[in-house]
Amino acid sequence: MATPEVAVPRDDLTGIKDGYEYGFHDSEEGYSFKAKKGLNRQVVEDISAHKDEPQWMLDFRLKALEHFEARPMPKWAGGHMDQIDFQNIHYFVRASEKQGRTWDEVPDDIKNTFDRLGIPEAERKFLAGVGAQYESEVVYHQVREDLEKQGVMFLDMDTALRDHEDLVREYWATVIPPNDNKLAALNSAVWSGGSFVYVPPGVHVEMPLQAYFRINTENMGQFERTLIIADEGSFVHYIEGCTAPQYTTDSLHSAVVEIIAKPSARVRYTTIQNWSHNVYNLVTKRAVAYENATMEWIDGNLGSKLTMKYPSIYLMGEGAHGEILSIAFAGAGQHQDAGGKAVHVAPNTTSTITSKSISKDGGRASYRGLLEIAPGAHGSRSKVVCDALLLDEDSRSDTYPTIRIGEDDVDVGHEATVSKIGEEQLFYLMSRGLTEEEASGMIVGGFIEPFTRELPMEYAVEMNRLIELQMEGSIG
Amino acid sequence: MGKSAAAASPSLAELRARAAQRFESIPMPVQKDKGWEFTSLERFDPSAYPAANGATTTAPAHQPVIAGAEIDLPAGVIAGSLAAAAEEHPELVQKHLGSLVADADKFSAQNTAEWEDGAFVYVPAGVRVPDPIVVSAVQGTPGTAMHWRSLIVLEEGAEATVAEQYMSGSEDLDAYFNPVTELIVGEGAKLEYLCVQDLSERSWILGTQRADVGRDAYLHWVGLGLGSGQGKLRMETDITGRGATARVTGAYVGHGNQHIDYDTTQEHAAPDTVSDLAFRGILRDRATSVWSGMIKVDPGAQRTDAFQESRNLLLSNGSHADAIPGLEIEANDVRCTHAATISKIDEDQVFYLMSRGLPRADAERLLVGGFLEVIAARLESSDTLREAVSAALERELETALA
């Protein structure tokens, strides 16, 4: 086996296999502002006033609210979204009035949460900076000094809007307009927090920038908004990882992420989504890539009740390249509706989409994708490969790719397979002394290895551990 | 004709009445509706095409793909007009008509309500029909609708080959062709069914064809899309019997302003079943195509082996192809695979052939011919049909590559 270390269960994990690992939550005492439940014009005006925003942003929010209210709820993906009660959500919670600059300034109970997620250790090891989103705003933010010297901005979005208004305004909502879809309209109306990254021309950020996101207040929606601008010839890797406390009623997470890769820039955006199993995770992520730029989405979906997320790349400049690597693990009660979109607008552009999904214990994993080559994008090439593993007879796997080609000088291929774990593979591993559970875990680990190998080492370790946890007790 | 058939059999009349209501109540599909995203009916109004009163016998505008011939039918085999069969064998027709296609969408409802005639083929248990049965539908009157209905029933262990072709009476006939086909393949039966759509390039086609493949049965279904201007044809295969196999083969050639839309499903409702679908398309000028294919595996349909592929060759810059393969899998012990490709002629292969002395045009024709030949080669049971299909594709390429 190529990855024999992947999936042998360890004794120290057996104690927590029944519970959600990060399912603790903190006391809500000490919150400085919490909007009433529900959504209307007043709530949007309050959010904007509370943040002391410029008029254009308030106007933008109100316009977006109109779009949100005017649009019908999407009916696809099994009609799950009808279950979301938008009036039963807190649209804004500020955990701490003051933005912490050092770890010491962060309030103790918040620190406690992050300690349990292991952020300080991670930072000590190799992080370039930590933007930790606790509730709706970033409370702790540090960019390493050498990055600051290079002119790299890694700020929470509220600060960026305050301190670099012109830069934010120039790119704001240029990739995902507020009327793009109903959830993007919602985010545009009530957004709070998220990251702003600007990398100046030619600067290579060697270490990944990462932000942790947390949902803590019951029934609180989290609507972060991230904007990444990689100027000409620059490189940046942004990592987003999610864990959330477990609650009994449903929470909504609806982010908007916009990325602009200017000529010859390269941006990699990595997500490990592990929301607790009651979160609706409805996210709009889109990137534009100009001449010879490269955009990479590395997207892992493990948690949430329903995820609907299709990271997109618009290849706008000749020679641009897009890469989407998506994995989904759907366990009991989960529906992972994930995928990716590549839209070739300029000639000689290339893209690959690789999707891997695992369904288990009645879970449903769907790949939904679009590959479009517009007239004029001659010489473009694309390949889409989807593989799905079904671990038991109660689970479900769907593949819904759409391919639209309006140009003859192209080379486009799509393939997908759905299967169960191969009996021969199991037999081989078990003949070497592994139990069926160990062997299955190892095969699943190998199946998603194209994803794990793209992760920074400590994430890969965490990822493998999560898969092990998910696989425990999988042999009936 | 249709009216008298309905009068003779109340249950058919009921079927018609219900379908007529459904046709009235179902709104016209718009591009926002699922499955209609890439085919517009904006310029189509079914009420603008009244049914042509009375059967018209018309000669097709060009040579039929398959020449019909007098054949000897084994005892008990029925092959002929559906309207006649509804009178002569009402129990057989009533038992099966509408069992697979009734009124699920607007256009199948219209056919069920208004069909005038069509083909009825019935092969009793254990009987093998050695020669292909050829059915031809020719639409002759401009500005009319033809609601053509075919019902093909193979009882247990029966074997037959049926070739059906849809044609127009003139090359520029502006008309609406509304077919429904039901293929019932009984336990252990073996059916090869070829359907050639060779309508005029100003025709609308909106139709549904559906097969039910029973236990240990075998179906090979071949669809050719050569003509028509716009519309959509559904080819739906239900694999309902354990151990059954369904092969579906399709080819389309579009040129000018043609828009060709095939919507296929392979639904596995029983364990140990196999399906294998292969479509190939060639598009030139401003022609567009849509192929949407869905493999569904129902809960409990373990050990399903399902495959689908759609391969498209774009020969001009204005042509456009959409491929929407899909998988919905609710059993786990399965092997389901699909593949879709859209590309132009491989320049390396053209270069190779030209280096052997062929002019570019010949090299391209050879490569396109080879691309489609794979489809004809899948027809294994009948040399006659294989040659007919080969010749039809060859003829179509002559036009498309001219």
Side-chain angles (χ1 to χ4, degrees):
Chain A
M1 289 294 289
T3 53
E5 78 280 13
V6 169
V8 180
R10 297 195 301 261
D11 290 334
D12 58 334
L13 292 171
T14 50
I16 47 174
K17 74 176 182 185
D18 294 324
Y20 178 71
E21 192 183 0
Y22 302 129
F24 51 86
H25 65 91
D26 300 304
S27 148
E28 286 180 26
E29 287 168 34
Y31 279 93
S32 49
F33 178 82
K34 184 162 162 177
K36 282 197 195 114
K37 282 182 181 176
L39 180 60
N40 54 44
R41 194 180 164 95
Q42 189 61 48
V43 167
V44 172
E45 284 174 351
D46 285 351
I47 293 170
S48 187
H50 204 89
K51 292 167 173 288
D52 204 13
E53 286 178 349
Q55 183 65 36
W56 67 267
M57 185 57 81
L58 175 61
D59 294 343
F60 171 84
R61 287 178 183 275
L62 291 172
K63 189 94 190 138
L65 181 66
E66 285 173 25
H67 286 305
F68 172 74
E69 286 170 344
R71 283 187 92 102
M73 204 62 199
K75 289 288 175 212
W76 39 291
H80 283 298
M81 283 184 283
D82 290 342
Q83 295 166 23
I84 303 169
D85 180 1
F86 288 102
Q87 294 304 332
N88 193 29
I89 289 169
H90 290 290
Y91 284 92
F92 183 63
V93 181
R94 184 189 290 242
S96 161
E97 281 292 328
K98 200 158 144 263
Q99 169 109 356
R101 278 300 297 168
T102 69
W103 188 247
D104 287 341
E105 289 173 50
V106 174
D108 280 348
D109 59 334
I110 295 176
K111 248 198 247 178
N112 186 33
T113 306
F114 281 113
D115 278 345
R116 288 161 79 175
L117 291 177
I119 291 184
E121 295 93 302
E123 186 193 313
R124 274 199 298 275
K125 282 176 198 157
F126 73 91
L127 292 184
V130 171
Q133 170 141 354
Y134 193 81
E135 302 300 356
S136 302
E137 282 190 59
V138 172
V139 292
Y140 176 87
H141 218 139
Q142 183 185 335
V143 175
R144 256 178 31 182
E145 278 184 8
D146 58 335
L147 290 182
E148 280 178 355
K149 277 188 210 141
Q150 288 178 304
V152 176
M153 295 179 198
F154 178 30
L155 305 166
D156 72 90
M157 191 55 90
D158 298 275
T159 304
L161 179 61
R162 204 160 47 238
D163 297 350
H164 305 279
E165 186 183 335
D166 291 345
L167 192 58
V168 171
R169 192 173 182 177
E170 184 182 346
Y171 295 103
W172 184 264
T174 54
V175 183
I176 303 173
N179 60 351
D180 188 78
N181 64 72
K182 190 171 177 79
L183 277 306
L186 178 65
N187 176 285
S188 299
V190 301
W191 73 269
S192 193
S195 296
F196 176 80
V197 177
Y198 173 79
V199 187
V203 172
H204 281 235
V205 183
E206 298 297 340
M207 293 190 183
L209 303 176
Q210 67 178 15
Y212 277 79
F213 297 89
R214 304 269 299 147
I215 288 179
N216 199 50
T217 304
E218 190 172 3
N219 281 351
M220 195 208 69
Q222 187 148 348
F223 304 95
E224 88 267 11
R225 181 129 195 152
T226 290
L227 175 58
I228 298 174
I229 302 143
D231 219 322
E232 283 192 37
S234 66
F235 167 71
V236 65
H237 181 187
Y238 183 88
I239 299 182
E240 165 201 24
C242 303
T243 56
Q246 199 164 35
Y247 277 99
T248 49
T249 54
D250 295 327
S251 281
L252 172 63
H253 174 249
S254 182
V256 164
V257 177
E258 299 178 281
I259 295 177
I260 295 153
K262 294 210 170 177
S264 302
R266 178 176 160 219
V267 179
R268 169 175 283 207
Y269 191 106
T270 299
T271 306
I272 297 178
Q273 179 270 108
N274 192 23
W275 297 109
S276 63
H277 291 191
N278 57 339
V279 171
Y280 287 93
N281 183 45
L282 312 174
V283 174
T284 309
K285 290 182 167 173
R286 191 176 301 157
V288 289
Y290 293 98
E291 287 78 11
N292 297 312
T294 297
M295 175 64 214
E296 300 159 343
W297 292 105
I298 312 290
D299 198 51
N301 295 293
L302 296 151
S304 82
K305 175 180 188 173
L306 168 67
T307 283
M308 298 180 78
K309 179 168 47 160
Y310 323 98
S312 315
I313 305 172
Y314 282 69
L315 300 150
M316 307 297 288
E318 181 151 8
H321 176 65
E323 193 115 6
I324 301 169
L325 181 51
S326 167
I327 70 143
F329 196 115
Q334 287 184 286
H335 183 183
Q336 304 285 7
D337 201 283
K341 301 181 191 176
V343 179
H344 295 248
V345 181
N348 300 313
T349 46
T350 51
S351 66
T352 59
I353 300 177
T354 308
S355 161
K356 302 254 177 189
S357 75
I358 298 147
S359 312
K360 156 172 193 294
D361 299 332
R364 177 177 176 190
S366 308
Y367 169 82
R368 202 180 293 277
L370 171 68
L371 168 61
E372 180 162 1
I373 297 188
H378 55 81
S380 293
R381 283 177 289 132
S382 180
K383 186 156 197 248
V384 181
V385 179
C386 306
D387 293 316
L389 265 186
L390 282 163
L391 296 187
D392 52 63
E393 59 186 36
D394 301 324
S395 301
R396 171 168 178 173
S397 166
D398 310 299
T399 311
Y400 305 104
T402 295
I403 303 167
R404 307 211 68 191
I405 307 300
E407 174 63 51
D408 71 321
D409 179 14
V410 296
D411 191 353
V412 165
H414 166 90
E415 46 192 87
T417 53
V418 179
S419 57
K420 63 167 193 168
I421 289 179
E423 297 287 349
E424 299 87 351
Q425 294 175 2
L426 271 183
F427 178 80
Y428 175 80
L429 289 172
M430 288 168 71
S431 75
R432 297 289 167 133
L434 294 181
T435 66
E436 187 175 356
E437 186 171 299
E438 287 166 345
S440 301
M442 191 176 279
I443 291 165
V444 170
F447 178 72
I448 62 157
E449 197 264 344
F451 176 81
T452 8
R453 91 171 153 227
E454 295 300 326
L455 300 176
M457 202 267 285
E458 61 176 31
Y459 278 87
V461 169
E462 186 180 311
M463 186 72 201
N464 285 330
R465 217 176 50 155
L466 287 166
I467 293 293
E468 273 171 33
L469 284 168
Q470 304 257 29
M471 287 299 295
E472 275 174 29
S474 66
I475 307 302
Chain B
M1 247 164 128
K3 276 203 175 73
S4 60
S9 50
S11 79
L12 284 186
E14 277 166 25
L15 207 59
R16 282 185 190 274
R18 202 167 54 228
Q21 272 179 3
R22 286 277 296 161
F23 173 65
E24 288 305 323
S25 66
I26 301 173
M28 274 293 279
V30 292
Q31 282 182 280
K32 271 159 78 181
D33 295 339
K34 203 177 172 324
W36 290 94
E37 294 88 344
F38 307 129
T39 294
S40 169
L41 298 183
E42 235 168 70
R43 293 189 293 111
F44 177 65
D45 175 10
S47 65
Y49 295 94
N53 281 323
T56 52
T57 313
T58 315
H62 52 246
Q63 193 72 20
V65 168
I66 307 138
E70 286 290 319
I71 58 168
D72 294 324
L73 292 176
V77 174
I78 305 165
S81 151
L82 179 65
E87 299 200 355
E88 291 158 23
H89 311 280
E91 69 300 335
L92 274 180
V93 174
Q94 270 177 42
K95 183 178 172 193
H96 296 291
L97 194 138
S99 65
L100 301 184
V101 182
D103 47 22
D105 84 345
K106 191 171 181 72
F107 308 106
S108 56
Q110 190 179 17
N111 178 289
T112 304
E114 300 178 28
W115 67 271
E116 298 127 31
D117 205 352
F120 179 66
V121 175
Y122 177 81
V123 186
V127 174
R128 178 172 176 272
V129 185
D131 302 308
I133 297 168
V134 176
V135 176
S136 297
V138 185
Q139 185 168 26
T141 319
T144 61
M146 186 161 178
H147 310 288
W148 179 260
R149 184 135 195 148
S150 299
L151 176 59
I152 295 167
V153 181
L154 267 62
E155 298 283 15
E156 187 176 338
E159 283 184 36
T161 299
V162 179
E164 187 170 27
Q165 45 196 347
Y166 306 152
M167 296 174 287
S168 301
S170 64
E171 300 282 11
D172 61 349
L173 186 83
D174 173 6
Y176 163 36
F177 194 77
N178 172 225
V180 163
T181 301
E182 295 172 283
L183 307 173
I184 293 149
V185 190
E187 186 173 332
K190 190 176 172 196
L191 173 65
E192 187 153 66
Y193 172 70
L194 166 68
C195 181
V196 181
Q197 185 272 99
D198 195 13
L199 297 166
S200 83
E201 284 164 31
R202 293 181 65 193
S203 297
W204 284 91
I205 179 164
L206 289 151
T208 299
Q209 306 179 315
R210 195 173 185 100
D212 181 291
V213 191
R215 187 177 174 119
D216 296 325
Y218 174 90
L219 167 69
H220 187 196
W221 180 355
V222 182
L224 292 191
L226 307 176
S228 81
Q230 297 190 71
K232 180 199 273 292
L233 188 59
R234 299 182 195 276
M235 291 172 67
E236 302 171 341
T237 313
D238 290 346
I239 306 152
T240 57
R242 188 173 199 141
T245 298
R247 298 181 84 199
V248 182
T249 302
Y252 47 84
V253 179
H255 68 115
N257 288 314
Q258 279 182 287
H259 175 76
I260 295 172
D261 181 342
Y262 275 102
D263 193 322
T264 68
T265 58
Q266 298 149 261
E267 180 159 1
H268 291 253
D272 302 303
T273 47
V274 177
S275 73
D276 165 15
L277 176 144
F279 260 70
R280 294 207 167 198
I282 305 250
L283 297 167
R284 220 195 110 144
D285 306 331
R286 289 160 312 285
T288 52
S289 74
V290 186
W291 168 79
S292 7
M294 179 61 77
I295 293 176
K296 285 187 184 175
V297 179
D298 295 348
Q302 296 292 28
R303 295 169 303 282
T304 283
D305 182 349
F307 176 75
Q308 64 177 192
E309 68 169 348
S310 161
R311 304 204 182 273
N312 296 275
L313 213 48
L314 298 182
L315 300 182
S316 71
N317 214 340
S319 56
H320 181 114
D322 292 322
I324 307 128
L327 303 172
E328 289 184 349
I329 314 296
E330 294 188 74
N332 72 311
D333 186 2
V334 301
R335 177 77 189 165
C336 299
T337 309
H338 69 198
T341 59
I342 300 171
S343 52
K344 64 167 197 166
I345 292 183
D346 188 337
E347 279 302 321
D348 288 348
Q349 293 178 4
V350 174
F351 177 81
Y352 175 81
L353 290 173
M354 287 173 71
S355 75
R356 297 287 167 133
L358 285 180
R360 169 171 282 274
D362 290 359
E364 288 186 359
R365 181 164 308 178
L366 213 55
L367 290 171
V368 175
F371 175 81
L372 285 182
E373 186 55 34
V374 175
I375 291 302
R378 280 171 60 104
L379 276 157
E380 56 204 8
S381 72
S382 157
D383 291 342
T384 323
L385 290 194
R386 189 169 56 244
E387 280 157 23
V389 165
S390 236
L393 291 172
E394 194 66 25
R395 183 203 78 195
E396 210 54 32
L397 286 181
E398 291 295 320
T399 321
L401 295 178

